Amino acid sequence: MTLAAGTYTVKCYAKAATAGGGAVAPGYVPIVSGKAGTYVYGSYVNNLSTSTWSEVTYTFTLAAESTICLVVNNSKTPGKDVLVDDFTFTQNK
């Protein structure tokens, strides 16, 4: 998606899908000339459990109009399956 310069927030809920926990970090990747650039992530939410949904948020600022793809990174440590629900994306006013 192509977005105007500004501040944006992604928010979702995550929990581990299997025993062993999980960790996720929301973020985005800029797209330039049809190719993915360097991924940008917020802080990881670690120690996800199978019994409780954890809120995950990331706020970022784009200095200029940009084309991006939103992502949720599933950390290699512990590298277990995760569930993501109720994903929202808003522009901050």
Side-chain angles (χ1 to χ4, degrees):
M1 69 183 86
T2 300
L3 301 171
T7 301
Y8 298 87
T9 298
V10 294
K11 177 180 165 183
C12 63
Y13 292 86
K15 72 177 183 175
T18 59
V24 297
Y28 68 94
V29 59
I31 307 299
V32 179
S33 300
K35 297 187 182 201
T38 302
Y39 287 73
V40 180
Y41 297 109
S43 297
Y44 278 94
V45 173
N46 297 302
N47 302 320
L48 296 175
S49 75
T50 57
S51 61
T52 304
W53 289 95
S54 296
E55 184 177 280
V56 180
T57 60
Y58 175 51
T59 299
F60 61 93
T61 300
L62 300 173
E65 181 177 276
S66 303
T67 300
I68 67 167
C69 287
L70 297 174
V71 296
V72 176
N73 187 37
N74 180 3
S75 173
K76 292 179 184 176
T77 305
K80 304 294 183 181
D81 293 336
V82 296
L83 300 170
V84 176
D85 198 9
D86 292 335
F87 191 97
T88 61
F89 178 67
T90 55
Q91 181 176 18
N92 302 356
K93 301 288 178 178

